[in-house]
Amino acid sequence: TFGMVENKLLLGFDYNRWSVDGQNGYGAGPDLDMLNPNYSAPIIQPPIYEDLKQTVGQIGLYAQDQSKIAERFLLTLGGRQSWVENKTDERLLGETTEQDDNAFVGQIGIGYLFDNGVTPYASYSESFVVNLGQTRTGQNFDPSKGKQYEVGIKYEPIFFDGYITGALFDIRKTNVLTTDPIDPNFSV
């Protein structure tokens, strides 16, 4: 506490590791008579079109400060720095793809506490997310990044323990994966 300002500071470090290892194949299955099903029909191994191991390691440092000013104003400021190593071994082609990404994302929010339990607020935040997998041509995907603008209102009634909220927001993202129009077994 500094005069009329109460602060809560959060500092952190995290490490995440993902690994995907497998094969993908596609082929037609045997016919199935709906009126007299035979569930012991032999299944032929489909041809393998992808055989890869992808390992992603991510380190993050973050900080967030929540301030309450003069018992009325709420202010939140935060930031996160991420470093990502993305390695894919494509065993069918005998190729290894490595990619290093990093990003700083931030957030800010402000609100005002009224005596009647109503709190209007506004906020802005950014995101950074690793996309797993590869394109049809064997390239790792770029990470997805986003921005969100939000305004809203929260109400904390005295007649029950909870909140009633309403918000309007706008989220914009880049590098969002979707089905490859040339080959639906892959994404773009």
Side-chain angles (χ1 to χ4, degrees), residues 22-174:
Q23 297 177 329
N24 290 317
Y26 178 80
D31 291 337
L32 183 63
D33 183 346
M34 297 299 287
L35 299 176
N36 187 20
N38 176 5
Y39 296 113
S40 63
I43 305 294
I44 299 171
Q45 178 75 25
I48 302 299
Y49 65 84
E50 183 179 66
D51 182 3
L52 61 81
K53 179 177 183 181
Q54 183 173 24
T55 304
V56 177
Q58 179 175 330
I59 295 173
L61 294 173
Y62 55 91
Q64 178 176 289
D65 183 57
Q66 296 175 332
S67 299
K68 190 174 190 181
I69 305 163
E71 295 294 320
R72 294 283 181 207
F73 289 98
L74 302 173
L75 177 64
T76 302
L77 296 170
R80 176 186 170 88
Q81 176 66 49
S82 296
W83 296 272
V84 179
E85 291 181 349
N86 186 345
K87 180 181 177 185
T88 304
D89 294 316
E90 190 5 295
R91 293 179 284 233
L92 285 180
L93 302 174
E95 296 177 357
T96 297
T97 306
E98 295 187 29
Q99 177 178 325
D100 292 324
D101 293 297
N102 68 79
F104 179 82
V105 295
Q107 67 179 32
I108 184 170
I110 190 164
Y112 185 82
L113 298 168
F114 286 100
D115 289 333
N116 60 2
V118 172
T119 305
Y121 69 91
S123 68
Y124 168 78
S125 61
E126 299 169 327
S127 64
F128 172 80
V129 178
V130 175
N131 286 315
L132 296 178
Q134 285 193 317
T135 66
R136 174 177 34 83
T137 59
Q139 300 301 310
N140 289 343
F141 294 111
D142 288 335
S144 180
K145 295 180 181 180
K147 294 181 180 183
Q148 176 179 332
Y149 301 89
E150 182 175 347
V151 294
I153 192 162
K154 295 180 182 181
Y155 173 56
E156 184 178 10
I158 58 172
F159 51 87
F160 75 90
D161 187 21
Y163 291 93
I164 299 169
T165 64
L168 296 171
F169 56 89
D170 180 19
I171 300 174
R172 308 280 170 116
K173 294 178 81 176
T174 61

